[in-house]
Structures are given as structure tokens and as C-alpha cells.
């Protein structure tokens, strides 16, 4: 049986592969259009103050990684030769022009996608305080229902328990996928998924088998 650590490592690598695959095919213009549309959605749903808060902190993270840490220049130099390096390559100045142009576009798409990821992370941070507000009452409600079932002949369904847990996991996978997807996404999707997971958590706890 694979250990929990090996499973987590596998999922992390699959997630990284998903991000790389998206950045390999998505156009820069597609990401920019999605960013502009999502900015309007965030401002409309959360208000101008919260929108400014999200985008200013996302810009700080982006500036730190891309500019302060010089990651933008490092990746450019790693994959794309400078004009001086091309000039020194006698007879090969035009070699790989198409490839280098493609790599430049991929890097630009990557950096715009990274900025979009940062904005979504900060939107998600805004909703984090609501997690205990939703889950504590839901879990308590489910536990009380389970205690009631222990005193009568009501059936604790293992099927409901299994499917509720599986659906929660599936929703979390969908959320992680949407966070890196280059499509405009309303910030209200986070509380929607949170509320659904809260209901499913109550169903799962209520149907834990009576004898453990």
C-alpha cells in the first residue's frame, strides 16, 4: 500500500503537470482577457475596497518573485538567448527564432497566469475566516444527528458517508483546478463550494457507523 506521503507527492506532481500543460497551450491574449473579466467580477462581487486589497497584495507577491528575486530575468536568460549571444553565434543568428518566440510567449503566459493565481489566492484568503463558521455548526449538527441515531433504530448509511466524503474531495480537486484555469471566475464560487462542503460534512458525520 502506498504511504500517505507518496500519495500527496503524486498529487502535487500531477498538479504541477496540469499547470505546465495549461501554460504550454494557452495564449497570452486569452489570459489577459480572463484577467480583465475577472477583475470586473471581483470588484462587482466584493466591492472596490476589497478588490483593491486583493490586487495590491497580489501585485506585491508578483513583484517580489518576478522583479526582486529576478526570476523573470532568470527564466528569460535560461530559455531565450540575448542579442549579444546571438551575435556571437556566427552563422546561427537566425537559428531557433520560432522556438525562442514560442518560449517567450509561454513565459509571458506563465507570468500572467502566476499573477492571476496570486489574485485568486488572496480572494480565497478573504473567505478563510468563514470556514470555522460553516464547518463547526455543520459537524456539530451531524454529530447530534448521529447521537440520536444511536438511541433508536434509525439507519446510519455507510453509502451516504462514503459518497459525502468523496464529493468533498472532488470539490476540493475542482477548486484547485479552477484556481489555475485561465478563465474568468467569480469570487462567489469559494463560499458556494464552502457551503456545499459544510452540508456534505454534516451528512458524512451523521452517517458514521454507530459502532466504531
Amino acid at each position: 500500500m502506498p504511504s500517505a506521503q507518496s500519495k500527496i507527492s503524486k498529487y502535487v506532481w500531477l498538479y504541477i503537470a496540469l499547470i505546465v500543460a495549461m501554460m504550454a497551450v494557452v495564449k497570452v491574449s486569452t489570459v489577459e482577457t480572463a484577467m480583465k473579466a475577472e477583475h470586473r467580477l471581483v470588484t462587482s462581487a466584493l466591492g472596490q475596497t476589497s478588490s483593491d486589497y486583493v490586487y495590491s497584495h497580489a501585485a506585491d507577491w508578483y513583484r517580489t518573485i518576478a522583479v526582486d528575486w529576478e526570476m523573470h530575468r532568470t527564466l528569460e536568460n535560461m530559455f531565450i538567448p540575448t542579442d549579444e549571444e546571438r551575435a556571437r553565434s556566427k552563422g546561427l543568428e537566425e537559428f531557433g527564432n520560432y522556438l525562442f518566440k514560442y518560449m517567450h510567449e509561454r513565459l509571458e503566459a506563465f507570468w500572467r497566469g502566476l499573477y492571476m493565481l496570486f489574485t485568486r489566492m488572496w480572494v480565497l484568503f478573504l473567505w478563510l475566516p468563514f470556514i470555522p463558521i460553516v464547518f463547526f455548526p455543520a459537524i456539530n449538527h451531524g454529530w447530534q444527528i448521529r447521537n440520536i441515531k444511536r438511541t433508536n433504530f434509525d439507519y446510519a448509511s455507510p453509502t451516504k458517508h462514503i459518497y459525502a466524503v468523496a464529493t468533498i474531495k472532488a470539490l476540493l480537486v475542482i477548486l484547485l483546478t479552477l484556481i489555475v484555469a485561465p478563465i474568468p471566475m467569480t469570487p462567489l464560487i469559494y463560499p458556494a463550494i464552502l457551503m456545499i462542503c459544510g452540508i456534505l460534512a454534516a451528512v458524512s458525520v451523521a452517517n458514521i457507523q454507530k459502532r466504531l
Side-chain angles (χ1 to χ4, degrees), residues 42-106:
V42 172
T43 303
S44 176
L46 303 180
Q48 189 64 52
T49 302
S50 296
S51 177
D52 292 342
Y53 176 85
V54 166
Y55 282 90
S56 64
H57 281 78
D60 289 340
W61 278 16
Y62 180 85
R63 190 180 306 108
T64 298
I65 293 177
V67 180
D68 296 345
W69 294 358
E70 297 186 347
M71 291 300 296
H72 190 286
R73 180 185 300 175
T74 300
L75 290 179
E76 286 278 346
N77 293 338
M78 185 181 300
F79 294 104
I80 303 172
T82 63
D83 292 337
E84 294 179 356
E85 290 172 335
R86 290 191 182 192
R88 290 197 299 267
S89 303
K90 299 299 183 181
L92 298 175
E93 293 89 348
E94 304 300 322
F95 178 78
N97 277 351
Y98 175 80
L99 176 61
F100 297 144
K101 180 181 178 181
Y102 173 80
M103 290 304 303
H104 177 74
E105 292 176 350
R106 295 306 91 217

